[in-house]
Amino acid sequence: MKSYTQKNAPIYEALEEFRARRVVPFDVPGHKRGRGNPELVELLGQKCVGLDVNSMKPLDNLCHPVSVIRAAEELAAEAFGAAHAFLMVGGTTSSVQAMILSVCGRNDKIILPRNVHRSVINAMILCGAHPVYVNPEVDERLGIPLGMRMEQVDKAIRENPDARAVLVNNPTYYGICSNLPEIVKLAHAHGMKVLADEAHGTHLYFGENLPISAMAAGADLAAVSMHKSGGSLTQSSLLLAGPSMSEGHIRQMINLTQTTSGSYLLMASLDISRRNLALRGREDFARVVDLAEYARKEINEIGGYDAYSRELINGDSVFDFDVTKLSIYTYGIGLAGIEVYDLLRDEYDIQTEFGDLGNLLAYVSIGDRKQEIERLVGALAEVKRRFQKKGTWMQVPEYLSPHVVVTPRDAFYALKESLPIAETKGRVCSEFVMCYPPGIPILAPGEEITEDILKYIEYAREKGCSLTGSEDPDVQRLNVVNENTLDWM
């Protein structure tokens, strides 16, 4: 195989060579380099559509890479400090699922925080793993879940010595980091693997003075959303593995669910973005940090908002904080985060990442400039002046401790019945309910529906949160496990 360095982008270079040959296509895709779909060419451009090709010998095959895709994966592993890297075209959802499928089977235990993305619970439905939740502390003022305390992780490991793995968010959506290096040491000492959901942590591998990355901390697997802070196209991701993991085994798990028709546009975007980060990542993310810190300072000077940062660090449940996350507490102006989110979009044409009941997240990354930051700050000042409210409302924490009755898999596939949501108290849920984004479930399959959860769902609905995950799109009814079924579970 040809020798490459971090200055190369093997997949992109192979695509350019292929395009120059003007090969006549008698294979898929059926648009035949755009000739069959001129509207698509008008939308995306001839070069883009012309590179939307199928797997073939000169371009390698994602399911069993031996040439340019393999070279791109080896360069990614080198750039991220991993033993192996896998290009993923099903988003970080597919990375998370492959990560969990690689270590867990039916009835295997996995220790994890409850504030995980729905993809983690989906993976447990697929493989039949049993969750052992470490309930994170909640910052009572901000209403957000924090990281896992070491005492909690130690207790979970000692009470479940047969658990196969510990999963850690690194960082959370809000920028909170657990003590990953110590969790790795503790888990490995008990023969358990450590998995990291790094959907929001690409920059940790290239920035300076940021929280430690999963591979640097010694984790065994990490799912990394390159499209979030790394600059690649939406739906492209990486799965990283440490030296303890079998490359062939992971590839088999990936191929259980990932498409056999991998998009070369997504793979090329991963290839180019890895090259950009390897060559310029430190410089780029230093600028991102400066922009985020500038925004934080300006927003806090408005008054009423709290753009929080490293002052939350307590050495345990907030072991570190990712300062690129511009998380803003909005309660001080009398508005829910989702209300500010809607106002920014509808009144000022500013699209932030998400708003929950008390917080707003503005995602700052390599494509941002100071003028956009200033526009955001100005709009937030205007929102306060025009829309702030006096008084308070019922403060409901973002995290509600679950009571797991049966495994997610058993609940999901059980006989079920649909009930009006008001009649579901005390029943076992067989589907998801979540505010999206961020996609952290309020309810997941196998969990008891409590009065507090029902109040939270209604409050989130009143404030304008987008509720998703249930079969009923309006979340007026919920699927619950048939009570007779519970007797044999």
Side-chain angles (χ1 to χ4, degrees):
M1 190 167 64
K2 181 180 174 181
S3 178
Y4 295 97
T5 72
Q6 292 295 335
K7 293 181 180 181
N8 292 111
I11 297 172
Y12 173 68
E13 291 164 12
L15 283 170
E16 286 287 88
E17 291 175 12
F18 176 78
R19 188 169 65 92
R21 292 174 57 191
R22 301 175 62 126
V23 173
V24 177
F26 280 101
D27 61 350
V28 297
H31 60 68
K32 301 298 177 84
R33 315 291 191 265
R35 291 193 300 272
N37 195 341
E39 292 89 351
L40 189 63
V41 175
E42 183 178 356
L43 173 67
L44 299 178
Q46 181 58 58
K47 183 171 183 179
C48 179
V49 177
L51 294 180
D52 181 36
V53 295
N54 192 31
S55 296
M56 60 189 73
K57 193 169 184 179
L59 299 179
D60 209 354
N61 188 300
L62 183 60
C63 295
H64 184 74
V66 295
S67 59
V68 292
I69 295 176
R70 183 167 186 83
E73 290 184 336
E74 290 175 352
L75 287 173
E78 179 183 79
F80 282 80
H84 312 288
F86 305 86
L87 304 187
M88 307 295 292
V89 295
T92 303
T93 288
S94 65
S95 298
V96 167
Q97 289 175 350
M99 180 168 71
I100 294 174
L101 290 172
S102 294
V103 298
C104 291
R106 188 170 179 82
N107 294 324
D108 284 340
K109 294 178 182 177
I110 178 170
I111 298 168
L112 69 168
R114 178 57 180 78
N115 57 319
V116 291
H117 190 264
R118 68 174 294 178
S119 60
V120 174
I121 299 172
N122 282 341
M124 289 189 285
I125 291 172
L126 291 174
C127 70
H130 191 288
V132 177
Y133 288 123
V134 174
N135 295 329
E137 292 180 352
V138 175
D139 186 294
E140 293 182 2
R141 183 177 67 90
L142 302 176
I144 64 171
L146 305 177
M148 295 189 291
R149 290 191 293 112
M150 286 304 303
E151 179 183 357
Q152 293 174 307
V153 178
D154 181 66
K155 182 174 183 289
I157 287 176
R158 294 186 184 281
E159 290 179 353
N160 300 275
D162 54 340
R164 296 293 303 275
V166 179
L167 185 140
V168 185
N169 294 317
N170 191 53
T172 69
Y173 229 135
Y174 302 93
I176 307 294
C177 295
S178 300
N179 189 346
L180 185 56
E182 288 303 313
I183 291 174
V184 169
K185 289 180 185 177
L186 182 62
H188 284 177
H190 288 82
M192 300 177 190
K193 302 294 186 185
V194 176
L195 319 181
D197 182 345
E198 286 190 314
H200 300 278
T202 304
H203 51 289
L204 304 185
Y205 289 86
F206 302 96
E208 294 180 339
N209 301 316
L210 291 174
I212 191 169
S213 69
M215 289 295 105
D220 300 284
L221 288 164
V224 179
S225 254
M226 277 286 280
H227 70 91
K228 288 187 171 71
S229 61
S232 63
L233 289 176
T234 295
Q235 201 176 306
S236 58
S237 178
L238 291 174
L239 178 57
L240 305 178
S244 69
M245 301 301 298
S246 163
E247 178 186 6
H249 174 68
I250 296 170
R251 183 84 65 190
Q252 285 185 318
M253 296 302 109
I254 290 171
N255 287 340
L256 284 178
T257 58
Q258 183 159 256
T259 179
T260 56
S261 302
S263 166
Y264 278 87
L265 297 175
L266 296 181
M267 288 189 282
S269 80
L270 283 169
D271 202 18
I272 292 168
S273 298
R274 181 271 315 153
R275 180 176 65 183
N276 290 344
L277 294 180
L279 299 180
R280 295 180 288 277
R282 290 191 179 277
E283 175 186 338
D284 286 346
F285 288 120
R287 185 175 55 81
V288 171
V289 169
D290 288 344
L291 284 174
E293 294 286 37
Y294 170 73
R296 195 171 278 115
K297 174 178 175 293
E298 294 293 309
I299 292 167
N300 285 334
E301 287 181 358
I302 295 170
Y305 299 107
D306 180 8
Y308 44 92
S309 185
R310 287 192 171 112
E311 71 275 4
L312 298 181
I313 293 174
N314 58 26
D316 196 3
S317 59
V318 187
F319 182 74
D320 208 344
F321 187 87
D322 175 11
V323 295
T324 72
K325 298 292 183 294
L326 186 54
S327 304
I328 307 162
Y329 182 58
T330 63
Y331 183 84
I333 64 167
L335 296 175
I338 186 62
E339 291 175 311
V340 177
Y341 170 94
D342 287 339
L343 287 168
L344 287 173
R345 182 194 61 242
D346 298 341
E347 299 287 332
Y348 300 95
D349 295 326
I350 293 174
Q351 181 63 55
T352 52
E353 177 67 12
F354 81 89
D356 62 28
L357 296 184
N359 301 269
L360 178 78
L361 175 63
Y363 216 97
V364 183
S365 195
I366 56 177
D368 286 302
R369 302 170 298 176
K370 191 172 183 180
Q371 51 262 50
E372 281 88 27
I373 297 294
E374 290 172 342
R375 183 173 170 184
L376 172 65
V377 172
L380 287 170
E382 279 288 295
V383 167
K384 179 190 175 186
R385 183 182 65 80
R386 294 177 59 195
F387 302 103
Q388 73 174 330
K389 298 176 182 177
K390 302 287 185 184
T392 60
W393 69 80
M394 178 180 65
Q395 180 69 12
V396 183
E398 174 69 17
Y399 170 80
L400 295 171
S401 179
H403 175 212
V404 179
V405 180
V406 297
T407 67
R409 181 186 181 92
D410 285 344
F412 187 81
Y413 288 112
L415 291 175
K416 61 195 70 172
E417 52 187 303
S418 174
L419 295 178
I421 191 168
E423 299 176 16
T424 60
K425 178 183 174 182
R427 301 296 294 271
V428 177
C429 193
S430 67
E431 58 183 348
F432 290 95
V433 180
M434 70 198 79
C435 292
Y436 193 87
I440 297 168
I442 302 167
L443 270 172
E447 296 174 1
E448 181 183 355
I449 303 168
T450 65
E451 183 69 25
D452 284 343
I453 288 171
L454 292 176
K455 287 180 178 178
Y456 182 89
I457 291 171
E458 186 55 35
Y459 187 62
R461 193 197 310 275
E462 290 174 1
K463 288 298 177 181
C465 290
S466 177
L467 293 170
T468 67
S470 61
E471 188 174 307
D472 175 12
D474 298 321
V475 199
Q476 297 294 340
R477 302 180 70 87
L478 285 181
N479 287 336
V480 298
V481 176
N482 184 289
E483 289 187 320
N484 295 326
T485 308
L486 288 172
D487 295 336
W488 55 262
M489 282 187 175

